[in-house]
Amino acid sequence: EDKVVQSPLSLVVHEGDTVTLNCSYEVTNFRSLLWYKQEKKAPTFLFMLTSSGIEKKSGRLSSILDKKELFSILNITATQTGDSAVYLCAVGKSNTGKLIFGQGTTLQVKP
Amino acid sequence: DVKVTQSSRYLVKRTGEKVFLECVQDMDHENMFWYRQDPGLGLRLIYFSYDVKMKEKGDIPEGYSVSREKKERFSLILESASTNQTSMYLCASSPTVSEQYFGPGTRLTVT
């Protein structure tokens, strides 16, 4: 059975800290891994990763995929209170538009 | 910008009522999806559609049906609402095997 597991499930840090969120997967016919950020509304797209070892970066956020070890990490440096959200990891399978989601990591950044 | 809208942000229904949740996207996307989101369980796929009048079951289709008469509109139907269907319902669309764009969600409470 296809599975996506995120850790930790929740995290509390202070502004300025660096955090690393983890996503491991066991999915047949892997196509891509996606990260979303969800505040109190619709999830918004952050990154899509298809190749191992190539870092994707957007401001203070970066992500990398390891297809051999079947995991991805999302790093956030110099965290701000606006980074407080649920971060969702999802895996897409080949030849289908379906995504398989992990449980999400709830990040709280305190001032 | 892609826009996905959902008919209601909050909805309260009684057990046994028939419930319609509407989703409209304005980007001519082929694929549309309905998820429910519950604490600790992440997003779970209910139904999806790759084309007009086409539908496929997701992971938890029991108790739900869908309708896609026009490309831009995908409806989720709860034939006889039950309390265990109290949840956040998210609609998404995508152009191909790509990232999905989400609507704001409908928080449904069944009493």
Side-chain angles (χ1 to χ4, degrees):
Chain A
E1 184 185 336
D2 294 328
K3 193 165 56 173
V4 177
V5 177
Q6 293 184 244
S7 64
L9 293 181
S10 65
L11 193 55
V12 180
V13 300
H14 287 93
E15 273 191 317
D17 288 349
T18 292
V19 298
T20 298
L21 309 184
N22 303 291
C23 177
S24 64
Y25 61 91
E26 292 176 26
V27 175
T28 56
N29 301 314
F30 173 92
R31 168 177 53 82
S32 58
L33 187 142
L34 296 88
W35 285 97
Y36 286 85
K37 176 183 181 182
Q38 185 179 23
E39 298 168 270
K40 293 190 182 300
K41 51 185 178 178
T44 53
F45 172 75
L46 294 174
F47 298 113
M48 182 164 67
L49 303 153
T50 56
S51 302
S52 266
I54 299 174
E55 185 183 54
K56 292 225 172 177
K57 200 168 169 65
S58 175
R60 296 175 294 101
L61 278 66
S62 64
S63 183
I64 197 160
L65 173 67
D66 186 328
K67 289 170 75 173
K68 184 179 176 187
E69 300 297 328
L70 308 183
F71 78 92
S72 173
I73 59 171
L74 176 68
N75 277 322
I76 309 174
T77 58
T79 51
Q80 303 171 356
T81 55
D83 295 326
S84 296
V86 176
Y87 290 84
L88 298 167
C89 172
V91 172
K93 299 182 65 158
S94 297
N95 301 320
T96 173
K98 288 172 62 175
L99 295 177
I100 301 157
F101 282 85
Q103 321 95 300
T105 294
T106 300
L107 173 65
Q108 183 184 359
V109 181
K110 291 187 170 182
Chain B
D1 273 355
V2 175
K3 193 164 183 185
V4 180
T5 56
Q6 294 183 228
S7 50
S8 307
R9 291 299 305 275
Y10 300 94
L11 208 53
V12 180
K13 295 291 181 180
R14 293 194 181 276
T15 300
E17 279 193 87
K18 192 168 185 175
V19 182
F20 293 87
L21 302 182
E22 299 280 327
C23 175
V24 178
Q25 50 97 0
D26 67 355
M27 285 302 292
D28 202 36
H29 286 172
E30 302 292 335
N31 306 323
M32 296 188 75
F33 307 83
W34 274 107
Y35 296 90
R36 62 178 285 177
Q37 185 176 28
D38 301 288
L41 297 177
L43 273 70
R44 293 180 291 166
L45 182 65
I46 305 171
Y47 267 97
F48 60 104
S49 169
Y50 287 144
D51 203 349
V52 175
K53 295 192 187 294
M54 180 276 179
K55 60 187 178 186
E56 284 195 35
K57 293 180 180 179
D59 301 317
I60 51 164
E62 296 78 19
Y64 303 94
S65 62
V66 291
S67 171
R68 193 165 181 201
E69 296 295 319
K70 293 185 177 181
K71 192 175 186 180
E72 67 270 18
R73 189 179 297 269
F74 192 34
S75 302
L76 181 69
I77 303 153
L78 287 67
E79 295 289 342
S80 177
S82 63
T83 54
N84 63 11
Q85 292 178 310
T86 291
S87 187
M88 170 68 85
Y89 289 88
L90 288 164
C91 174
S93 71
S94 71
T96 55
V97 288
S98 176
E99 68 266 25
Q100 294 178 11
Y101 298 88
F102 285 85
T106 296
R107 187 167 292 282
L108 173 67
T109 302
V110 183
T111 60

